[in-house]
Amino acid sequence: VQYGDTVVLATACTSSEPREGIDFLPLTIDYEERLYAAGKIPGGFIRREGRPSQEAILACRLTDRPLRPLLPKEWRKDIQLVITVLSADQENNPDILSVIGSSAALTTSEIPFGGPVSAVHIGYIDDKLVLNPTLAELETSLLNLIVVSTHEAIVMVEAGAQEVSENIVIEAIRLGHEANQEILKLQDQLRQACRKPKLEVP
């Protein structure tokens, strides 16, 4: 998934056999930040990637929350989503690309999934709602809202705001849901072009 010069690769796989003795959906989301994505190479004593940053952990959670309820609760085979940031242009946040890419990977895979879903950022800058503001614009924005939705409904809302009125927030959620529909259409086209037959839910 690419937005601007930020590029994210999302892959999905599931095990062939169910895990024994569990009563939950075994979903693992691995968000991989790479220093080379920002044009940096580890040097000195540390020559490998370090542990996940706070932003990477939050991106994992942001990806998990809208997807987990749309997977079958009875599923006991391990599902692993690996999101790798291949390029970060320092302007466009890769976190919503993680949600979109993971949704597209699940939609085209054999894993039963009630999606697709899409995510957008909404900001409020100079008395105007801005769709997918850059990281620099978000610093001056009175609203930082993420809207994740399916064709029919809003699945998740996450927001931080500085005393923005309820009407502005409601309008921002509506704008986000409408903007998501275009991205969902692209995922539908991708599903028609290269989907696999879905596995049966036990």
Side-chain angles (χ1 to χ4, degrees):
V1 182
Q2 179 171 356
Y3 188 69
D5 287 327
T6 296
V7 182
V8 168
L9 170 68
T11 58
C13 63
T14 186
S15 61
S16 57
E17 296 297 327
R19 205 195 296 184
E20 295 290 334
I22 60 169
D23 59 354
F24 60 90
L25 172 71
L27 171 65
T28 303
I29 296 179
D30 193 8
Y31 184 88
E32 302 280 345
E33 287 181 322
R34 293 285 182 249
L35 285 172
Y36 65 70
K40 300 174 183 176
I41 304 296
F45 181 72
I46 301 172
R47 295 194 179 275
R48 342 189 138 173
E49 303 285 343
R51 65 181 63 178
S53 66
Q54 183 175 349
E55 288 77 15
I57 293 169
L58 292 174
C60 278
R61 293 175 180 173
L62 181 76
T63 306
D64 183 289
R65 278 200 308 269
L67 298 180
R68 189 175 290 271
L70 297 175
L71 292 163
K73 292 180 176 59
E74 303 81 12
W75 195 258
R76 296 296 175 259
K77 296 179 181 178
D78 283 273
I79 299 173
Q80 186 176 29
L81 293 170
V82 181
I83 300 103
T84 308
V85 181
L86 300 179
S87 173
D89 62 6
Q90 311 290 307
E91 290 185 7
N92 300 295
N93 201 328
D95 57 358
I96 60 170
L97 301 186
S98 170
V99 178
I100 295 168
S102 297
S103 168
L106 286 171
T107 298
T108 56
S109 75
E110 59 190 8
I111 302 166
F113 178 55
V117 301
S118 174
V120 290
H121 269 284
I122 306 290
Y124 189 68
I125 304 164
D126 297 331
D127 299 328
K128 292 180 183 176
L129 291 172
V130 179
L131 183 65
N132 289 333
T134 63
L135 293 172
E137 288 174 333
L138 280 174
E139 290 181 7
T140 60
S141 176
L142 298 179
L143 176 68
N144 182 4
L145 177 75
I146 297 174
V147 180
V148 183
S149 53
T150 62
H151 286 294
E152 297 82 18
I154 292 167
V155 179
M156 187 193 77
V157 174
E158 182 178 283
Q162 299 177 25
E163 299 184 5
V164 177
S165 72
E166 290 180 9
N167 290 336
I168 292 173
V169 174
I170 291 169
E171 184 64 21
I173 293 172
R174 187 189 62 77
L175 173 64
H177 183 60
E178 289 177 357
N180 279 330
Q181 300 309 308
E182 294 299 317
I183 304 169
L184 291 168
K185 286 179 185 174
L186 290 174
Q187 292 188 57
D188 286 337
Q189 292 171 13
L190 186 64
R191 175 169 54 187
Q192 293 298 327
C194 56
R195 67 176 165 187
K196 293 181 179 180
K198 295 292 184 183
L199 297 171
E200 287 188 17
V201 179

